[in-house]
Structure formats: C-alpha cells, structure tokens
Amino acid sequence: MSTNQYQVTGMTCGHCEMSVREEVGAVPGVEEVQVSAESGTLVVTGSDAVDESKVLAAVDEAGYSAVPVA
C-alpha cells in the first residue's frame, strides 16, 4: 500500500471534490481517493506506487492544480 498527499488549489465545494475524485480515481493503481475542498487536501492510496505525474495530470484535467506534500 502506498499513500501520497497533495495540496490542491481552486476547490471550493462538493462538486469540486467530486470532479477531482472522479478524475484521480481513474488513474491506474488508485484504490482510494480522499478529497477535502475545505482543507484543500487530496490523499491517494494505491496497492502499488501510483504514478505521481498521472495523479497531477488528473487533477489538472479536473480543472485544478496540485503539488505533492512531503
């Protein structure tokens, strides 16, 4: 299991969360997606290492931007 956290900018509501959840959930290897517009966080869990560039691209596709949190 690998878990990565990201800071997402631009989300303001539940619809924003849903858009990010749907796009990131479609990334190969992703098993769980937790999104909070209130805190601007995205937590992605996968069985193996998930390709970070694909997660960031998925967030971008949803209309937002994200950076990894160390």
Side-chain angles (χ1 to χ4, degrees):
M1 248 341 157
S2 73
T3 301
N4 297 311
Q5 184 171 344
Y6 304 88
Q7 187 67 41
V8 181
T9 55
M11 294 188 301
T12 57
C13 63
H15 183 267
C16 299
E17 294 175 351
M18 184 180 71
S19 296
V20 171
R21 189 177 298 112
E22 286 178 359
E23 291 293 338
V24 173
V27 172
V30 171
E31 292 188 353
E32 183 180 352
V33 180
Q34 297 174 355
V35 187
S36 171
E38 186 176 331
S39 64
T41 57
L42 165 65
V43 179
V44 178
T45 304
S47 55
D48 297 315
V50 175
D51 186 337
E52 186 171 274
S53 65
K54 290 184 179 177
V55 171
L56 295 175
V59 172
D60 186 62
E61 182 68 28
Y64 308 96
S65 59
V67 293
V69 175

